[in-house]
């Protein structure tokens, strides 16, 4: 074997080893994930492309449906707020569109966080102690989100009393909504990467 052929053979072996390693590497679904690779041992067993399969959907779809509805509500709220900011809605139309939706969004999120913090997260930590640090991140998210939601509620209550246009209030509300939406986007995906495999793989 000449020197050139030997180099090609070595390169091919190196590529194969790298490819084999990639097959066993575990990574979350998005590049900004805060989850450590060591916490994704269940995610590796039940990756997202199986979450809605017949074997698991009856255990995973409920939680995922809640998250789908959260994402839908926050998207609609952001669109309404942006429409007012761009002049598409006048003051009264903006208030009509957003007031009740914000109240519902806040109520549903507080309910979801309460169920998580008081029930599911402690149970999941007991089942899988190595995941405690991951669930602590999610718990801190809930605290931050609840604080943002409290601010949003105060702003929304003020908006409900504001018959006269108040662009400063609308801008403040919009910024709170954006902050909550950004955190929610990160939180929901990290939460799913930890929680959905637990739901899908547990017995019963």
């Amino acid at each position: 074997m000449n020197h050139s052929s030997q180099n090609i053979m070595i390169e091919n072996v190196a590529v194969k080893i790298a490819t084999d390693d990639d097959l066993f590497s575990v990574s979350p679904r998005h590049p900004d994930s805060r989850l450590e690779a060591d916490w994704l041992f269940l995610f590796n067993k039940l990756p997202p492309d199986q979450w809605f399969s017949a074997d698991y959907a009856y255990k995973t779809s409920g939680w995922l449906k809640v998250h789908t509805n959260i994402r839908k509500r926050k998207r609609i709220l952001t669109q309404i707020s942006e429409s007012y900011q761009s002049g598409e809605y006048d003051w009264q139309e903006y208030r009509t569109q957003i007031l009740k939706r914000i109240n519902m969004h806040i109520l549903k999120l507080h309910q979801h966080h309460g169920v998580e913090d008081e029930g599911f997260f402690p149970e999941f930590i007991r089942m899988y102690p190595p995941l405690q640090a991951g669930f602590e991140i999610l718990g801190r998210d809930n605290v931050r989100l609840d604080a943002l939601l409290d601010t949003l509620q105060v702003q929304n209550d003020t908006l409900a009393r504001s018959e006269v246009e108040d662009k400063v209030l609308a801008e403040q509300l919009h910024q709170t909504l954006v902050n909550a939406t950004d955190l929610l986007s990160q939180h929901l995906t990290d939460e799913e990467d930890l929680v959905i495999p637990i739901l899908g793989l547990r017995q019963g």
Side-chain angles (χ1 to χ4, degrees), residues 8-28:
I8 292 172
M9 184 176 180
I10 291 172
E11 289 174 3
N12 289 340
V13 171
V15 168
K16 183 179 187 306
I17 291 172
T19 302
D20 289 345
D21 286 345
D22 287 344
L23 292 175
F24 295 101
S25 64
V26 182
S27 60

Side-chain angles (χ1 to χ4, degrees), residues 80-91:
I80 293 170
S81 186
E82 288 174 346
S83 293
Y84 170 73
Q85 298 294 323
S86 68
E88 182 178 343
Y89 288 155
D90 64 19
W91 183 248

Side-chain angles (χ1 to χ4, degrees), residues 185-196:
S185 297
Q186 174 87 63
H187 173 81
L188 292 175
T189 311
D190 284 344
E191 181 180 308
E192 287 166 0
D193 287 354
L194 280 183
V195 168
I196 301 306

Side-chain angles (χ1 to χ4, degrees), residues 91 95 99 154-164 169:
W91 183 248
R95 291 171 72 248
L99 285 170
V154 170
Q155 292 167 339
N156 200 52
D157 291 345
T158 304
L159 179 62
R161 299 189 297 269
S162 301
E163 297 289 343
V164 178
L169 172 62

Side-chain angles (χ1 to χ4, degrees), residues 90-106:
D90 64 19
W91 183 248
Q92 293 305 325
E93 180 65 16
Y94 164 64
R95 291 171 72 248
T96 299
Q97 292 290 334
I98 208 166
L99 285 170
K100 290 183 179 179
R101 286 187 170 95
I102 285 181
N103 285 333
M104 179 60 68
H105 187 55
I106 291 171

